[in-house]
Protein backbone atom coordinates (compact mmCIF):
# COMPACT_ATOMS: atom_id res chain seq x y z
CA UNK A 1 0.00 0.00 0.00
CA UNK A 2 1.09 3.54 -0.75
CA UNK A 3 0.83 6.26 1.88
CA UNK A 4 0.77 9.81 0.54
CA UNK A 5 2.76 12.39 2.46
CA UNK A 6 1.00 15.73 2.66
CA UNK A 7 3.60 18.26 3.75
CA UNK A 8 2.67 21.52 2.01
CA UNK A 9 4.91 23.53 4.33
CA UNK A 10 8.15 21.99 3.08
CA UNK A 11 7.15 20.74 -0.38
CA UNK A 12 4.93 23.67 -1.45
CA UNK A 13 2.53 21.04 -2.82
CA UNK A 14 -0.75 20.62 -0.99
CA UNK A 15 -2.57 17.32 -1.23
CA UNK A 16 -6.01 18.74 -0.44
CA UNK A 17 -8.71 16.37 0.82
CA UNK A 18 -10.47 16.34 -2.56
CA UNK A 19 -7.28 15.22 -4.33
CA UNK A 20 -6.56 12.59 -1.68
CA UNK A 21 -10.10 11.25 -2.05
CA UNK A 22 -9.64 10.99 -5.82
CA UNK A 23 -6.27 9.25 -5.47
CA UNK A 24 -7.81 6.83 -2.97
CA UNK A 25 -10.86 6.15 -5.16
CA UNK A 26 -8.53 5.30 -8.07
CA UNK A 27 -6.62 2.88 -5.82
CA UNK A 28 -3.38 4.85 -5.82
CA UNK A 29 -3.14 5.51 -2.07
CA UNK A 30 -4.37 3.71 1.04
CA UNK A 31 -3.41 6.34 3.58
CA UNK A 32 -2.04 9.80 4.12
CA UNK A 33 0.56 11.11 6.52
CA UNK A 34 -1.10 14.45 7.25
CA UNK A 35 1.45 17.14 8.08
CA UNK A 36 -0.39 20.31 7.08
CA UNK A 37 -1.12 21.22 10.70
CA UNK A 38 -4.77 21.84 9.82
CA UNK A 39 -6.68 19.35 11.94
CA UNK A 40 -9.95 20.27 10.19
CA UNK A 41 -8.69 18.25 7.25
CA UNK A 42 -9.17 15.04 9.19
CA UNK A 43 -12.92 15.52 9.13
CA UNK A 44 -13.01 16.50 5.45
CA UNK A 45 -10.90 13.50 4.49
CA UNK A 46 -13.21 11.22 6.50
CA UNK A 47 -16.24 12.67 4.70
CA UNK A 48 -14.75 12.33 1.21
CA UNK A 49 -12.81 9.08 1.64
CA UNK A 50 -13.89 7.24 4.81
CA UNK A 51 -11.67 4.23 4.02
CA UNK A 52 -8.51 6.32 3.56
CA UNK A 53 -6.28 5.83 6.60
CA UNK A 54 -5.31 9.12 8.20
CA UNK A 55 -1.92 9.03 9.90
CA UNK A 56 -0.75 11.70 12.30
CA UNK A 57 2.17 13.31 10.53
CA UNK A 58 3.20 16.05 12.94
CA UNK A 59 3.87 15.39 16.61
CA UNK A 60 2.40 18.70 17.75
CA UNK A 61 -1.13 17.88 16.52
CA UNK A 62 -1.17 14.30 17.79
CA UNK A 63 -4.01 14.73 20.25
CA UNK A 64 -6.25 16.63 17.87
CA UNK A 65 -5.80 14.16 15.01
CA UNK A 66 -6.15 11.13 17.30
CA UNK A 67 -9.46 12.47 18.58
CA UNK A 68 -10.47 13.06 14.94
CA UNK A 69 -9.98 9.36 14.19
CA UNK A 70 -6.40 8.93 12.98
CA UNK A 71 -5.36 5.30 12.50
CA UNK A 72 -1.68 5.75 13.31
CA UNK A 73 1.22 8.10 13.94
CA UNK A 74 4.35 8.59 11.87
CA UNK A 75 6.34 10.05 14.71
CA UNK A 76 9.56 11.89 15.46
CA UNK A 77 9.84 12.55 19.16
CA UNK A 78 9.15 8.98 20.31
CA UNK A 79 12.76 8.32 19.30
CA UNK A 80 13.72 10.30 22.40
CA UNK A 81 10.80 9.54 24.73
CA UNK A 82 9.28 6.25 23.55
CA UNK A 83 7.35 5.11 26.63
CA UNK A 84 5.67 8.46 27.28
CA UNK A 85 4.92 8.89 23.58
CA UNK A 86 3.32 5.45 23.31
CA UNK A 87 1.29 6.11 26.45
CA UNK A 88 0.16 9.45 25.02
CA UNK A 89 -0.83 7.90 21.69
CA UNK A 90 -2.76 5.02 23.25
CA UNK A 91 -4.56 7.35 25.67
CA UNK A 92 -5.46 9.72 22.82
CA UNK A 93 -6.84 7.09 20.43
CA UNK A 94 -8.71 5.27 23.21
CA UNK A 95 -10.41 8.48 24.34
CA UNK A 96 -8.68 8.72 27.74
CA UNK A 97 -8.49 12.49 27.49
CA UNK A 98 -7.47 13.00 31.11
CA UNK A 99 -4.27 11.00 30.62
CA UNK A 100 -3.74 12.19 27.04
CA UNK A 101 -4.27 15.83 27.94
CA UNK A 102 -1.85 15.67 30.86
CA UNK A 103 0.87 13.98 28.81
CA UNK A 104 0.29 16.21 25.81
CA UNK A 105 0.68 19.36 27.89
CA UNK A 106 3.88 18.00 29.42
CA UNK A 107 5.37 16.86 26.11
CA UNK A 108 4.15 19.62 23.82
CA UNK A 109 7.18 21.91 24.32
CA UNK A 110 9.19 19.11 22.69
CA UNK A 111 6.56 17.81 20.27
CA UNK A 112 6.28 21.22 18.60
CA UNK A 113 9.91 20.93 17.45
CA UNK A 114 8.72 18.26 14.99
CA UNK A 115 7.13 21.04 12.91
CA UNK A 116 10.27 23.15 12.75
CA UNK A 117 13.16 23.02 10.29
CA UNK A 118 15.46 21.98 13.12
CA UNK A 119 13.39 18.96 14.14
CA UNK A 120 16.13 16.40 13.50
CA UNK A 121 18.62 18.36 15.58
CA UNK A 122 16.13 18.78 18.43
CA UNK A 123 15.17 15.10 18.50
CA UNK A 124 18.82 13.99 18.40
CA UNK A 125 19.70 16.35 21.25
CA UNK A 126 16.81 15.03 23.35
CA UNK A 127 17.92 11.49 22.57
CA UNK A 128 21.42 12.29 23.77
CA UNK A 129 20.10 13.87 26.97
CA UNK A 130 17.97 10.83 27.89
CA UNK A 131 20.78 8.37 27.09
CA UNK A 132 19.62 7.18 23.66
CA UNK A 133 22.55 8.33 21.52
CA UNK A 134 21.30 10.38 18.61
CA UNK A 135 24.66 11.77 17.65
CA UNK A 136 25.50 14.79 15.56
CA UNK A 137 23.53 15.78 12.49
CA UNK A 138 24.99 15.40 9.02
CA UNK A 139 25.14 18.11 6.37
CA UNK A 140 23.23 19.91 5.10
CA UNK A 141 21.80 20.15 8.62
CA UNK A 142 23.71 22.31 11.05
CA UNK A 143 23.81 22.27 14.86
CA UNK A 144 21.13 24.09 16.80
CA UNK A 145 21.75 27.71 17.67
CA UNK A 146 22.69 28.17 21.34
CA UNK A 147 19.24 29.51 22.27
CA UNK A 148 17.54 26.61 20.44
CA UNK A 149 19.78 24.10 22.19
CA UNK A 150 19.01 25.70 25.56
CA UNK A 151 15.25 25.50 24.88
CA UNK A 152 15.39 21.83 23.84
CA UNK A 153 17.66 20.97 26.75
CA UNK A 154 15.36 22.69 29.28
CA UNK A 155 12.21 21.06 27.89
CA UNK A 156 13.85 17.62 27.78
CA UNK A 157 15.19 17.93 31.31
CA UNK A 158 11.73 19.00 32.49
CA UNK A 159 10.23 15.90 30.83
CA UNK A 160 12.89 13.71 32.48
CA UNK A 161 12.17 15.28 35.88
CA UNK A 162 8.47 14.55 35.35
CA UNK A 163 9.29 10.88 34.82
CA UNK A 164 8.56 10.89 31.09
CA UNK A 165 11.92 9.49 29.95
Amino acid sequence: PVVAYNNPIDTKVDLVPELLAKLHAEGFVQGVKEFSGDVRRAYRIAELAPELDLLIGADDVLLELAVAGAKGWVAGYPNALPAASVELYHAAVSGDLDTAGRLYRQLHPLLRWDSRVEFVQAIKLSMDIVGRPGGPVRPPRVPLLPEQEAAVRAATEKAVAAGLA
Side-chain angles (χ1 to χ4, degrees), residues 16-22 24-25 41-52:
V16 296
E18 292 77 11
L19 176 58
L20 289 167
K22 183 176 181 178
H24 178 67
R41 287 182 179 220
Y43 299 98
R44 185 71 176 142
I45 291 167
E47 291 168 5
L48 297 173
E51 300 301 317
L52 180 65

Short mmCIF file of all heavy atoms in Angstrom, two decimals, residues 16-22 24-25 41-52:
data_model
loop_
_atom_site.label_atom_id
_atom_site.label_comp_id
_atom_site.label_asym_id
_atom_site.label_seq_id
_atom_site.Cartn_x
_atom_site.Cartn_y
_atom_site.Cartn_z
N VAL A 16 -4.75 18.36 -1.08
CA VAL A 16 -6.01 18.74 -0.44
C VAL A 16 -6.91 17.51 -0.31
O VAL A 16 -6.74 16.53 -1.05
CB VAL A 16 -6.70 19.88 -1.21
CG1 VAL A 16 -5.85 21.15 -1.18
CG2 VAL A 16 -7.03 19.47 -2.62
N PRO A 17 -7.85 17.53 0.62
CA PRO A 17 -8.71 16.37 0.82
C PRO A 17 -9.40 15.86 -0.46
O PRO A 17 -9.51 14.65 -0.65
CB PRO A 17 -9.73 16.86 1.85
CG PRO A 17 -8.95 17.86 2.65
CD PRO A 17 -8.10 18.57 1.63
N GLU A 18 -9.81 16.76 -1.31
CA GLU A 18 -10.47 16.34 -2.56
C GLU A 18 -9.52 15.53 -3.44
O GLU A 18 -9.92 14.52 -4.04
CB GLU A 18 -11.00 17.58 -3.31
CG GLU A 18 -12.15 18.28 -2.60
CD GLU A 18 -11.74 19.15 -1.41
OE1 GLU A 18 -10.52 19.40 -1.21
OE2 GLU A 18 -12.64 19.56 -0.66
N LEU A 19 -8.26 15.96 -3.54
CA LEU A 19 -7.28 15.22 -4.33
C LEU A 19 -6.97 13.87 -3.68
O LEU A 19 -6.89 12.85 -4.37
CB LEU A 19 -5.99 16.04 -4.48
CG LEU A 19 -4.84 15.35 -5.21
CD1 LEU A 19 -5.24 14.91 -6.62
CD2 LEU A 19 -3.62 16.26 -5.25
N LEU A 20 -6.82 13.85 -2.37
CA LEU A 20 -6.56 12.59 -1.68
C LEU A 20 -7.70 11.61 -1.88
O LEU A 20 -7.48 10.42 -2.10
CB LEU A 20 -6.33 12.84 -0.19
CG LEU A 20 -5.00 13.52 0.16
CD1 LEU A 20 -5.03 14.01 1.60
CD2 LEU A 20 -3.84 12.57 -0.08
N ALA A 21 -8.94 12.11 -1.83
CA ALA A 21 -10.10 11.25 -2.05
C ALA A 21 -10.08 10.66 -3.46
O ALA A 21 -10.38 9.47 -3.65
CB ALA A 21 -11.39 12.03 -1.81
N LYS A 22 -9.71 11.48 -4.43
CA LYS A 22 -9.64 10.99 -5.82
C LYS A 22 -8.53 9.95 -5.96
O LYS A 22 -8.74 8.90 -6.59
CB LYS A 22 -9.39 12.16 -6.77
CG LYS A 22 -9.36 11.77 -8.21
CD LYS A 22 -9.22 12.98 -9.12
CE LYS A 22 -9.22 12.51 -10.57
NZ LYS A 22 -9.13 13.59 -11.51
N HIS A 24 -7.37 8.03 -3.68
CA HIS A 24 -7.81 6.83 -2.97
C HIS A 24 -8.86 6.07 -3.80
O HIS A 24 -8.78 4.84 -3.93
CB HIS A 24 -8.38 7.20 -1.60
CG HIS A 24 -8.88 6.03 -0.84
ND1 HIS A 24 -8.06 5.03 -0.37
CD2 HIS A 24 -10.13 5.68 -0.47
CE1 HIS A 24 -8.78 4.12 0.25
NE2 HIS A 24 -10.04 4.49 0.21
N ALA A 25 -9.81 6.79 -4.36
CA ALA A 25 -10.86 6.15 -5.16
C ALA A 25 -10.27 5.42 -6.37
O ALA A 25 -10.80 4.37 -6.78
CB ALA A 25 -11.88 7.19 -5.62
N ARG A 41 -8.79 19.14 8.41
CA ARG A 41 -8.69 18.25 7.25
C ARG A 41 -9.07 16.82 7.58
O ARG A 41 -9.54 16.09 6.72
CB ARG A 41 -7.29 18.29 6.67
CG ARG A 41 -7.03 19.59 5.96
CD ARG A 41 -5.66 19.57 5.35
NE ARG A 41 -5.45 20.82 4.66
CZ ARG A 41 -4.85 20.93 3.50
NH1 ARG A 41 -4.38 19.85 2.90
NH2 ARG A 41 -4.71 22.09 2.92
N ALA A 42 -8.83 16.41 8.81
CA ALA A 42 -9.17 15.04 9.19
C ALA A 42 -10.64 14.75 8.95
O ALA A 42 -11.01 13.68 8.45
CB ALA A 42 -8.82 14.80 10.66
N TYR A 43 -11.48 15.70 9.28
CA TYR A 43 -12.92 15.52 9.13
C TYR A 43 -13.33 15.56 7.66
O TYR A 43 -14.20 14.79 7.23
CB TYR A 43 -13.66 16.57 9.95
CG TYR A 43 -13.33 16.43 11.42
CD1 TYR A 43 -12.36 17.23 12.01
CD2 TYR A 43 -13.93 15.45 12.20
CE1 TYR A 43 -12.01 17.07 13.35
CE2 TYR A 43 -13.59 15.29 13.53
CZ TYR A 43 -12.63 16.11 14.10
OH TYR A 43 -12.29 15.94 15.42
N ARG A 44 -12.70 16.42 6.89
CA ARG A 44 -13.01 16.50 5.45
C ARG A 44 -12.56 15.23 4.74
O ARG A 44 -13.28 14.70 3.89
CB ARG A 44 -12.34 17.75 4.85
CG ARG A 44 -12.70 17.98 3.41
CD ARG A 44 -14.13 18.44 3.26
NE ARG A 44 -14.40 18.73 1.85
CZ ARG A 44 -15.53 18.47 1.25
NH1 ARG A 44 -16.55 17.95 1.92
NH2 ARG A 44 -15.69 18.74 -0.02
N ILE A 45 -11.39 14.74 5.09
CA ILE A 45 -10.90 13.50 4.49
C ILE A 45 -11.84 12.35 4.84
O ILE A 45 -12.19 11.53 3.99
CB ILE A 45 -9.45 13.20 4.94
CG1 ILE A 45 -8.49 14.22 4.32
CG2 ILE A 45 -9.04 11.77 4.60
CD1 ILE A 45 -7.09 14.21 4.92
N ALA A 46 -12.28 12.28 6.08
CA ALA A 46 -13.21 11.22 6.50
C ALA A 46 -14.54 11.30 5.76
O ALA A 46 -15.16 10.27 5.47
CB ALA A 46 -13.44 11.29 8.01
N GLU A 47 -14.99 12.50 5.46
CA GLU A 47 -16.24 12.67 4.70
C GLU A 47 -16.08 12.22 3.26
O GLU A 47 -16.97 11.57 2.70
CB GLU A 47 -16.67 14.14 4.70
CG GLU A 47 -17.14 14.65 6.03
CD GLU A 47 -17.27 16.18 6.04
OE1 GLU A 47 -17.09 16.83 4.99
OE2 GLU A 47 -17.55 16.72 7.13
N LEU A 48 -14.96 12.59 2.63
CA LEU A 48 -14.75 12.33 1.21
C LEU A 48 -14.22 10.93 0.93
O LEU A 48 -14.49 10.37 -0.14
CB LEU A 48 -13.79 13.36 0.62
CG LEU A 48 -14.26 14.80 0.65
CD1 LEU A 48 -13.13 15.73 0.20
CD2 LEU A 48 -15.49 14.99 -0.23
N ALA A 49 -13.44 10.39 1.85
CA ALA A 49 -12.81 9.08 1.64
C ALA A 49 -12.73 8.34 2.98
O ALA A 49 -11.67 8.23 3.58
CB ALA A 49 -11.42 9.25 1.04
N PRO A 50 -13.87 7.84 3.47
CA PRO A 50 -13.89 7.24 4.81
C PRO A 50 -12.95 6.05 4.99
O PRO A 50 -12.55 5.75 6.11
CB PRO A 50 -15.34 6.83 5.01
CG PRO A 50 -16.04 7.05 3.73
CD PRO A 50 -15.17 7.84 2.83
N GLU A 51 -12.56 5.39 3.92
CA GLU A 51 -11.67 4.23 4.02
C GLU A 51 -10.20 4.61 3.90
O GLU A 51 -9.32 3.74 4.05
CB GLU A 51 -12.02 3.19 2.95
CG GLU A 51 -13.45 2.67 3.06
CD GLU A 51 -13.73 1.99 4.40
OE1 GLU A 51 -12.87 1.23 4.88
OE2 GLU A 51 -14.80 2.25 4.98
N LEU A 52 -9.89 5.87 3.65
CA LEU A 52 -8.51 6.32 3.56
C LEU A 52 -7.95 6.48 4.97
O LEU A 52 -8.53 7.19 5.80
CB LEU A 52 -8.44 7.67 2.82
CG LEU A 52 -7.05 8.28 2.66
CD1 LEU A 52 -6.17 7.42 1.76
CD2 LEU A 52 -7.17 9.69 2.07
#
